[in-house]
Amino acid sequence: MHTLQTRLTGLARPLFGAAFVRFIAYLGLCAAYLQGGLNKLTDFAGAVAEMTHFGLSPAPVFAVIVIALELAASLMILLGFLRWLGALALGGFTLMATFLALRFWELPVGMERFMAANSFFEHLGLVGGFLLVAWLDLTEKA
C-alpha cells in the first residue's frame, strides 16, 4: 500500500505541485468575486439595487464596500500580498452573505428550497477553501 501511495504521489507531484497549478486554483477560487466586483463596478446602479434588495442601508455605501472587498481581497490572494488576510476577508464576507441571502430554512419545501440549500452548502465550501488558503499561507511562511 505504501509503495502504491508513493508511486501515485510521485506521478502527481510534478504537475499538481507546480506553482502555476496553485495560481490557477487561486484564480478559480477568486473568479466569482472578480466577476462580481467588476460587474458591480460597471453597473453601480445594479449594485445599489442588490444591496437594497438585501436590506442593506445605506445601499450605495455597502455597494462601494462590497466592490472594494471583492476586488482588493481577490488581488491580495492572486498576488500573494497578505494572501492570508485576503482569504480571511473573502471567507468572512462569503459566510455573512450566505446567511443573509440563502436562508433556505425559511422557504417552503420544494425546488426553490432545494436549490437554495445546495447553494448555501456550496458557499460553505468556498469558506472552507478560503480558510485553507489562509492556513497554507500562514504555515508556509512560519
Side-chain angles (χ1 to χ4, degrees):
M1 183 64 166
H2 178 64
T3 309
L4 177 61
Q5 182 179 349
T6 303
R7 285 186 184 194
L8 289 174
T9 301
L11 290 172
R13 184 171 284 125
L15 175 62
F16 294 104
F20 80 93
V21 173
R22 184 180 281 206
F23 181 81
I24 290 170
Y26 290 149
L27 185 59
L29 196 55
C30 293
Y33 303 90
L34 290 167
Q35 178 266 342
L38 291 173
N39 277 354
K40 288 175 185 74
L41 188 62
T42 58
D43 180 15
F44 190 71
V48 171
E50 182 181 22
M51 301 304 132
T52 302
H53 171 76
F54 290 113
L56 300 173
S57 182
V61 172
F62 276 97
V64 168
I65 291 169
V66 169
I67 292 166
L69 176 71
E70 287 182 324
L71 296 177
S74 293
L75 289 175
M76 290 168 72
I77 292 168
L78 294 174
L79 299 175
F81 176 74
L82 296 173
R83 179 175 283 138
W84 63 270
L85 185 59
L88 291 177
L90 283 181
F93 167 74
T94 302
L95 189 61
M96 287 188 297
T98 299
F99 277 96
L100 177 68
L102 296 169
R103 297 184 303 247
F104 68 91
W105 54 88
E106 295 178 353
L107 299 173
V109 174
M111 185 54 72
E112 187 179 358
R113 180 181 178 140
F114 176 79
M115 297 297 287
N118 278 347
S119 189
F120 179 92
F121 288 101
E122 288 169 357
H123 281 76
L124 291 185
L126 283 170
V127 172
F130 285 122
L131 287 174
L132 183 58
V133 168
W135 178 79
L136 284 170
D137 196 56
L138 289 170
T139 57
E140 288 176 352
K141 293 182 177 157

